[in-house]
């Protein structure tokens, strides 16, 4: 198993290429199920989760052709062809490795009239229920049955009629499943309090490019007029706003200046606002965002919220940055019940953080020192890397398979801007 060794203290400067968004790719890939024609996705990040999803798609009999660019490039082009689906079952041994597999439920149900997907189970940050996915699919005419750890969904003869659903809680995944099912329904569907994350906008833009009829894209009130069939398309995955925000924190904690090449500031208003409040200079340019931390960092209170609020996926990374800010910062994690797994590990590096339920109190500035730490979940792992970049001495981060799920060639990108970081066999 690999580990990363980081020697802190280098000021990061230069350009970091931002990859395609993991959380957009994971909902764009299952759209291939919605058409018999080829779906080509460009700018797909090279990530373990994307490989896992591709493997799952081949389980359904879908042909995938990878036309990667040169090995030293970032991202790749993949074509999915679902003209002959041989299985409608997403098996436990694949779903348990990648919970986003649940996103095949809606499109498979819409295309084939049936789908059987293993329940994804929880993960480090919470028990991650899927009740809203199931309620939304029932609301548009799906019949749902839970048995032996699987969800079995069937559509009435003649296909899903369509319907209405008012989400009691904003859910990214449940909105994605509902939208991917509704586009092929016989009638019109309406979703209220739908998630508005940029990844959902990317999904809707792809579906429209395939011939879907969707109104209210980008708002929490979506109206979808089902169509009889969808065509193939070629589509470029949006840039990863969480990867970009993560590297912004990395640059800022080292007092550096980095250009996030390809980042789209429109997706990052809340993160950029938080960074500016902390005292980081954030300049939105034509092809990316320039981050510069010349002055002192200031303590700032932050609370995560559904888009356009501050992304929960940015909480851990900003917490690391706030360890170096002057004063006391209060963070509130409103989305997941257990998303402070990074706190004990940061404490081992000298951080002064107290957690009480969903609130974390961060006191700074503290002198961070290198230590041997353990990654627990994707974004927690990144918060340890960020702290290590500013820590005195050497940090070893183990279980970095968590990182490989969400950050394409992390150490190469950080080496590009002067970080002293290397991947070694553990
Ligand atoms: C997506 O997860 C992202 N994953 C997560 O990113 C992200 O943290 C999350 O959205 C919130 O933005 C992908 O896109 C693959 P939710 P998802 O449904 O869809 C509750 C990362 O680090 N809920 O919006 O699973 C749920 O428990 C990952 O890249 C229900 O109660 O999140 C949570 O408290 C981590 N019932 C809240 O809603 C349901 O049926 C938001 O979850 C579904 C969710």
């Amino acid at each position: 198993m690999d580990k990363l060794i980081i020697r802190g203290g280098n000021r990061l400067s230069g350009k970091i290429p931002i990859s395609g968004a993991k959380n957009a790719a994971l909902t764009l890939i299952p759209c291939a199920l919605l058409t018999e024609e080829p779906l080509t996705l460009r700018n797909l990040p090279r990530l373990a989760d994307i490989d896992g999803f591709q493997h799952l798609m081949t389980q359904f009999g879908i042909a995938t052709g990878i036309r990667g660019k040169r090995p030293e490039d970032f991202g790749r082009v993949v074509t999915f062809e679902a003209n002959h689906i041989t299985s409608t079952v997403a098996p436990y041994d694949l779903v348990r490795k990648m919970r986003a597999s649940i996103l095949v439920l809606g499109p498979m149900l819409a295309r084939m009239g049936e789908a059987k997907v293993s329940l994804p189970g929880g993960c480090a940050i919470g028990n991650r229920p899927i009740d809203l996915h199931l309620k939304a699919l029932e609301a548009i005419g799906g019949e749902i049955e839970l048995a032996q750890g699987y969800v079995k969904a069937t559509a009435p003869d003649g296909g899903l009629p369509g319907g209405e659903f008012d989400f009691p809680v904003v859910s990214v995944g449940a909105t994605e499943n509902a939208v991917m099912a509704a586009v092929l329904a016989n009638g019109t569907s309406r979703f209220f309090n739908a998630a508005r994350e940029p990844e959902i906008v990317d999904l809707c833009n792809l579906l429209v490019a395939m011939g879907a009829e969707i109104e209210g894209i980008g708002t929490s009130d979506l109206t979808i007029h089902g169509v009889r069939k969808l065509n193939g398309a070629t589509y470029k995955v949006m840039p990863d706003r969480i990867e970009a925000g993560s590297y912004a924190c990395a640059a800022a904690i080292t007092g550096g200046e980095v250009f996030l090449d390809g980042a789209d500031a429109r997706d990052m208003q809340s993160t950029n606002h938080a960074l500016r409040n902390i005292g980081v200079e954030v300049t939105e340019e034509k092809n990316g965002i320039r981050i510069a931390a010349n002055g002192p960092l200031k303590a700032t209170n932050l609370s995560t919220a559904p888009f356009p609020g501050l992304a929960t996926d940015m909480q851990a990374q900003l917490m690391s940055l706030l360890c170096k800010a002057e004063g006391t910062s209060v963070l509130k994690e409103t989305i997941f019940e257990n998303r402070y797994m990074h706190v004990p590990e940061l404490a081992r590096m000298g951080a002064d953080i107290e957690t009480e339920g969903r609130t974390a109190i961060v006191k700074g500035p503290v002198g961070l020192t290198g230590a041997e730490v353990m990654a627990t979940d994707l974004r927690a792992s990144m918060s340890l890397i960020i702290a290590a970049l500013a820590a005195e001495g050497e940090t070893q981060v183990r279980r970095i398979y968590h990182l490989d799920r969400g950050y394409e060639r992390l150490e190469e990108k950080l080496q590009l801007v002067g970080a002293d970081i290397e991947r070694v066999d553990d």
Side-chain angles (χ1 to χ4, degrees):
M1 202 158 358
D2 292 350
K3 67 183 173 185
L4 285 173
I5 298 180
I6 300 121
R7 292 168 198 87
N10 292 10
R11 186 181 167 282
L12 301 190
S13 85
K15 185 156 76 165
I16 295 182
I18 298 304
S19 298
K22 165 181 85 85
N23 290 349
L26 291 174
T27 191
L28 299 184
I29 291 171
C31 291
L33 292 163
L34 292 168
T35 174
E36 297 177 355
E37 298 175 12
L39 172 65
T40 298
L41 295 175
R42 296 171 41 235
N43 197 32
L44 269 180
R46 292 170 203 266
L47 294 171
D49 270 7
I50 304 302
D51 293 343
F53 218 113
Q54 273 177 242
H55 180 54
L56 176 65
M57 296 295 270
T58 55
Q59 295 287 310
F60 303 136
I62 290 174
T64 65
I66 298 180
R67 284 182 290 115
K69 295 188 288 185
R70 294 167 304 156
E72 63 275 20
D73 286 347
F74 295 99
R76 59 186 159 196
V77 177
V78 181
T79 298
F80 300 88
E81 200 147 357
N83 53 11
H84 185 58
I85 293 176
T86 56
S87 163
T88 60
V89 180
Y92 171 69
D93 66 321
L94 290 182
V95 175
R96 72 183 173 80
K97 290 184 203 125
M98 195 199 50
R99 59 181 328 282
S101 315
I102 192 65
L103 294 175
V104 303
L105 184 64
M108 185 69 89
L109 173 64
R111 166 77 183 277
M112 303 299 284
E114 62 169 37
K116 190 176 170 194
V117 180
S118 166
L119 284 166
C123 72
I125 63 176
N127 70 7
R128 311 293 292 276
I130 58 163
D131 56 312
L132 298 178
H133 296 241
L134 307 183
K135 286 190 183 109
L137 292 177
E138 280 176 326
I140 61 173
E143 282 146 48
I144 301 290
E145 187 199 330
L146 293 178
Q148 290 99 33
Y150 278 78
V151 178
K152 194 165 178 334
T154 41
D157 293 342
L160 294 167
E164 298 198 348
F165 187 64
D166 187 347
F167 285 92
V169 169
V170 172
S171 164
V172 170
T175 302
E176 289 165 347
N177 250 331
V179 166
M180 289 190 282
V183 288
L184 283 182
N186 293 323
T188 293
S189 301
R190 287 195 74 184
F191 299 119
F192 304 99
N193 198 28
R196 300 171 48 194
E197 270 64 8
E199 293 74 20
I200 304 234
V201 173
D202 220 29
L203 168 65
C204 292
N205 289 341
L206 166 62
L207 290 169
V208 166
M210 294 169 71
E213 291 175 23
I214 306 175
E215 293 159 23
I217 295 177
T219 75
S220 52
D221 178 350
L222 294 173
T223 300
I224 297 169
H225 304 290
V227 293
R228 210 176 41 74
K229 77 183 279 292
L230 289 173
N231 314 310
T234 294
Y235 189 81
K236 183 180 180 195
V237 180
M238 64 176 271
D240 195 317
R241 61 191 173 107
I242 306 298
E243 183 196 28
S246 302
Y247 288 127
C249 292
I253 204 170
T254 67
E257 173 161 349
V258 162
F259 183 69
L260 305 171
D261 191 14
D264 186 337
R266 291 170 302 176
D267 302 334
M268 300 175 63
Q269 289 308 305
S270 58
T271 296
N272 293 348
H273 181 68
L275 289 166
R276 290 186 180 112
N277 285 348
I278 295 170
V280 181
E281 247 177 74
V282 180
T283 313
E284 300 173 7
E285 298 185 3
K286 194 159 146 325
N287 299 319
I289 301 171
R290 186 168 304 285
I291 301 292
N294 306 316
L297 300 175
K298 293 173 290 187
T300 302
N301 297 338
L302 300 172
S303 177
T304 63
F307 193 88
L310 182 64
T312 171
D313 292 351
M314 280 301 306
Q315 176 256 113
Q317 301 90 304
L318 286 161
M319 183 186 281
S320 290
L321 180 57
L322 288 168
C323 292
K324 301 299 280 184
E326 284 164 22
T328 299
S329 305
V330 179
L331 277 73
K332 283 197 171 49
E333 171 52 64
T334 69
I335 307 289
F336 289 110
E337 66 266 27
N338 184 32
R339 205 163 195 181
Y340 287 139
M341 306 277 281
H342 43 291
V343 171
E345 295 302 302
L346 287 173
R348 298 183 58 243
M349 298 175 72
D352 178 356
I353 306 168
E354 273 171 55
T355 58
E356 175 68 38
R358 292 186 177 222
T359 301
I361 316 269
V362 184
K363 288 198 173 72
V366 292
L368 293 170
T369 53
E372 286 188 45
V373 291
M374 193 80 80
T376 51
D377 61 87
L378 173 58
R379 306 305 174 184
S381 322
M382 192 57 179
S383 77
L384 301 178
I385 303 283
I386 291 165
L389 289 168
E392 185 72 32
E394 179 179 287
T395 298
Q396 300 200 8
V397 183
R398 289 189 157 74
R399 294 192 184 167
I400 54 170
Y401 55 85
H402 290 293
L403 274 168
D404 295 336
R405 298 186 50 201
Y407 290 95
E408 181 178 16
R409 298 161 70 171
L410 171 93
E411 68 275 13
E412 290 175 53
K413 292 193 179 186
L414 284 171
Q415 286 159 1
L416 282 177
V417 288
D420 181 347
I421 179 171
E422 59 179 329
R423 180 186 290 253
V424 297
D425 275 343
D426 197 347

